[in-house]
Structure formats: C-alpha cells, structure tokens
Amino acid sequence: MKMVVAYVRHEAFEPIRGELLDLGFPSLSVSEVKGSGRQKGITERYRGAELTNYLRPKLKIECVVEDGDVQTIVDTILKHARTGAVGDGKVFLVPVDESYRIRTGEAGSETLQAHSTDDLPPK
Ligand SMILES: Nc1ncnc2c1ncn2[C@@H]1O[C@H](COP(=O)(O)OP(=O)(O)OP(=O)(O)O)[C@@H](O)[C@H]1O
Ligand SMILES: [Mg+2]
C-alpha cells in the first residue's frame, strides 16, 4: 500500500476528484496548505512597496491505494494538475504499513477503496 500525496493548484482538484471517482477511487482526503517551491515566493508591488509572499496556497491530496493502483492515481493527478507554468505542484509516494476500517475492524488493502462486494450501509 502507498499513500499518494499531491500538492496541487485549487483548480486542479475537481477534475482530479471526478476522474478518480469514475475510475473507482472515491476515497481520499484533501486539505488546504501553504507552501513554497524552488521559486521561494513571489514578489508583488503594494502601494509602491515591494512585498514578497513566501508561502503560496495549495491543496494537499492524500489517497491511499494498493501498489498496483499507484500509477493510475499518479497519472490522473499529473494529467489534470499540469499547466506547464511554475507552481504546478508535486507528487510524493509514501509507504503505508497497514489500514483499518473503523466501522468493521477489518484490516488490509480491501479497506482502502470501494469494492463491488462491499456491504455499504443504506444511503
Ligand atoms: N520537497 C517538497 N516537500 C514538501 N512540499 C513540497 C516540496 N516541493 C514542493 N512542495 C509543495 O508543492 C507546492 C508547489 O511546488 P512547486 O510546484 O512550486 O515546486 P517546484 O519544485 O518549485 O516546481 P516548479 O519549478 O514547477 O514551480 C509548494 O508550494 C509546496 O506546498
Ligand atoms: Mg515552484
């Protein structure tokens, strides 16, 4: 199992989420973060003064999947998050040792995403 961690522009999230859902990966987390990359910050003029913003807002996506699904997730993120301009973001792969579904106590990769055999509670 791996956690795909991606820092992307806000606009990239909806297209990524939509395609991951279509591909059978509905389970993920997203959070608002601030960060900096190689450019360190951007300098703007405000009332005549130069101000440098060292931190830029990004969305952090976390999606844990089986090893065999990692490339699908990465490809989907790259496809929708790449504009070609600086600041498009980064993707990292983090090893995950174990997973538990709290409701049932089940463990293992079966708990990661939706499976057709799942006994989901009524909507
Ligand atoms: N090594 C890193 N560790 C943790 N977060 C990072 C790292 N690199 C980038 N990020 C996160 O990704 C965001 C976007 O990074 P960014 O796309 O600017 O990377 P970059 O290396 O400067 O590439 P580019 O030259 O395309 O801008 C950062 O604001 C930060 O939140
Ligand atoms: Mg950058």
Side-chain angles (χ1 to χ4, degrees):
M1 291 180 280
K2 296 243 183 332
M3 175 153 59
V4 182
V5 180
Y7 300 90
V8 300
R9 299 181 197 279
H10 283 62
E11 314 84 84
F13 178 68
E14 249 335 284
I16 291 169
R17 190 198 62 81
E19 186 163 351
L20 289 181
L21 198 58
D22 291 345
L23 291 170
F25 303 100
S27 307
L28 51 77
S29 293
V30 63
S31 43
E32 309 229 10
V33 297
K34 288 185 177 179
S36 63
R38 295 190 293 183
Q39 289 76 23
K40 302 187 186 80
I42 62 165
T43 302
E44 295 166 336
R45 293 196 74 82
Y46 178 72
R47 293 184 176 174
E50 280 206 341
L51 292 177
T52 301
N53 288 318
Y54 291 99
L55 297 176
R56 310 295 303 154
K58 296 287 169 193
L59 284 186
K60 177 184 182 182
I61 301 169
E62 295 169 315
C63 183
V64 181
V65 291
E66 292 185 60
D67 288 2
D69 292 324
V70 167
Q71 202 57 52
T72 301
I73 307 300
V74 171
D75 289 346
T76 301
I77 293 170
L78 294 180
K79 173 176 156 189
H80 294 291
R82 180 181 296 138
T83 69
V86 297
D88 274 351
K90 288 273 181 69
V91 179
F92 300 98
L93 301 183
V94 184
V96 171
D97 289 336
E98 192 50 282
S99 165
Y100 297 90
R101 173 172 289 120
I102 292 174
R103 176 173 61 89
T104 58
E106 314 159 77
S109 60
E110 288 296 296
T111 65
L112 295 180
Q113 299 289 333
H115 293 277
S116 52
T117 54
D118 275 355
D119 60 331
L120 291 175
K123 284 179 191 152

